[in-house]
Amino acid sequence: MSARLNKGWRLSRGVQRRHTVHRDGPAALRRRKRLAGRGWVEIQYLDFEPCLLQFPDMALRKASEGLAEAPIVRRKLSDHVLDRLKAMITSGEYGPGQTLPSERELMASYGVGRPAIREAMQALANAGLITIKHGERAKVRPLTAKAAVGQIDLVAQLMLSASPGMLQNLKEARRFFERGMVREAAVKASDVEIAELDALIVEQRAALDDAESFVAADLRFHNKIASISRNAILDAVAEAMLGWLRNDQIDSEAFAARGEAVLDAHAQIVEGLRTRDPDAAEAALSRYLDQADAVERIAVAS
């Protein structure tokens, strides 16, 4: 059974005509939006006035209109601006070191106000994609693994300070990570890189009386081993983990007090790399990490 509605409408059974809405005017637009949110559908035939209809069965309405299951989510203007700016950067339209258009230019291009532009720019800066300096245009940062990992530095340090149990997790992760790294280095290390590690041991020995310099040289030694992997992500993660431990957890004085043992462990690690023996290099690293744990236990006990 079908019913004929006025002005050219013919609708199947189960569909009821509800309201007629004039085409123009802000009040009509608000009414359309309000009714659409309650499941009403506006349809129009040629030049006849629009008509709002509602299907009793939601499945029938979806089938008739081809509606998606997911609801439409309203987004802020700054989100749209952010998407466009990210696309400009990731597509290479603006490469590392280049400056983005000024706020005024972006406002004119996108037809939005200054707050939306500034909010989008701050989101890009927080994501590590651009740098913002007062009085200068925003500049695109190089997209590197170290820049990406560096974005979580502050969060990681706060987490370690607020949750002591996370420190043990970090140490376990470091042990697992560095054991694999040193085995990789035993296979890939060049003679030049091995010589650089030897030079770092000499530099560290010269800093035995300066705890801060001794620990800094120790970190450079282990970062150098990570770089031998030829893998930018592994290198970045290793540097970040060592930095988190260095900033908040290492007792420099206690560590330097066991300097000779540390230097001996480093020399054994390098010897494992020199002889291309992954097992020997890993065993030497494990002894070094055991010593580092012992230093912390002594520091905590005292």
Side-chain angles (χ1 to χ4, degrees), residues 21-178:
V21 179
H22 293 295
R23 189 176 309 174
D24 300 319
L29 179 59
R30 289 195 297 270
R31 189 178 185 190
R32 284 192 183 95
K33 291 182 177 179
R34 186 169 63 252
L35 292 174
R38 296 203 295 263
W40 296 79
V41 179
E42 181 179 351
I43 57 178
Q44 186 177 4
Y45 179 72
L46 297 179
D47 293 329
F48 297 107
E49 66 180 358
C51 181
L52 280 172
L53 303 170
Q54 187 179 46
F55 292 85
D57 184 359
M58 181 58 70
L60 175 62
R61 183 168 84 91
K62 289 183 178 179
S64 299
E65 295 296 321
L67 299 179
E69 292 290 339
I72 297 175
V73 179
R74 301 180 69 179
R75 304 180 69 204
K76 298 189 299 183
L77 286 176
S78 60
D79 291 337
H80 292 285
V81 175
L82 176 61
D83 287 344
R84 294 191 184 188
L85 292 176
K86 281 196 298 186
M88 290 163 55
I89 294 172
T90 56
S91 68
E93 183 177 349
Y94 288 88
Q98 290 185 305
T99 55
L100 293 178
S102 67
E103 288 184 355
R104 189 178 300 276
E105 291 170 331
L106 291 172
M107 288 164 59
S109 177
Y110 297 151
V112 299
R114 193 179 301 274
I117 298 297
R118 288 188 172 178
E119 190 173 342
M121 286 290 198
Q122 191 58 55
L124 288 174
N126 292 340
L129 295 178
I130 64 172
T131 55
I132 300 176
K133 293 183 179 180
H134 181 68
E136 298 180 9
R137 293 189 180 187
K139 185 176 294 186
V140 179
R141 293 183 60 183
L143 300 177
T144 64
K146 288 187 178 182
V149 175
Q151 292 304 301
I152 65 172
D153 265 348
L154 178 59
V155 174
Q157 292 175 32
L158 290 174
M159 177 186 68
L160 291 173
S161 299
S163 178
M166 283 295 176
L167 174 60
Q168 186 59 35
N169 290 341
L170 179 59
K171 288 180 179 178
E172 291 173 359
R174 179 197 177 180
R175 182 179 289 268
F176 180 84
F177 189 80
E178 282 206 73

Side-chain angles (χ1 to χ4, degrees), residues 215-227:
V215 173
D218 181 81
L219 294 179
R220 288 195 294 275
F221 178 88
H222 289 272
N223 283 330
K224 181 61 185 177
I225 291 176
S227 71

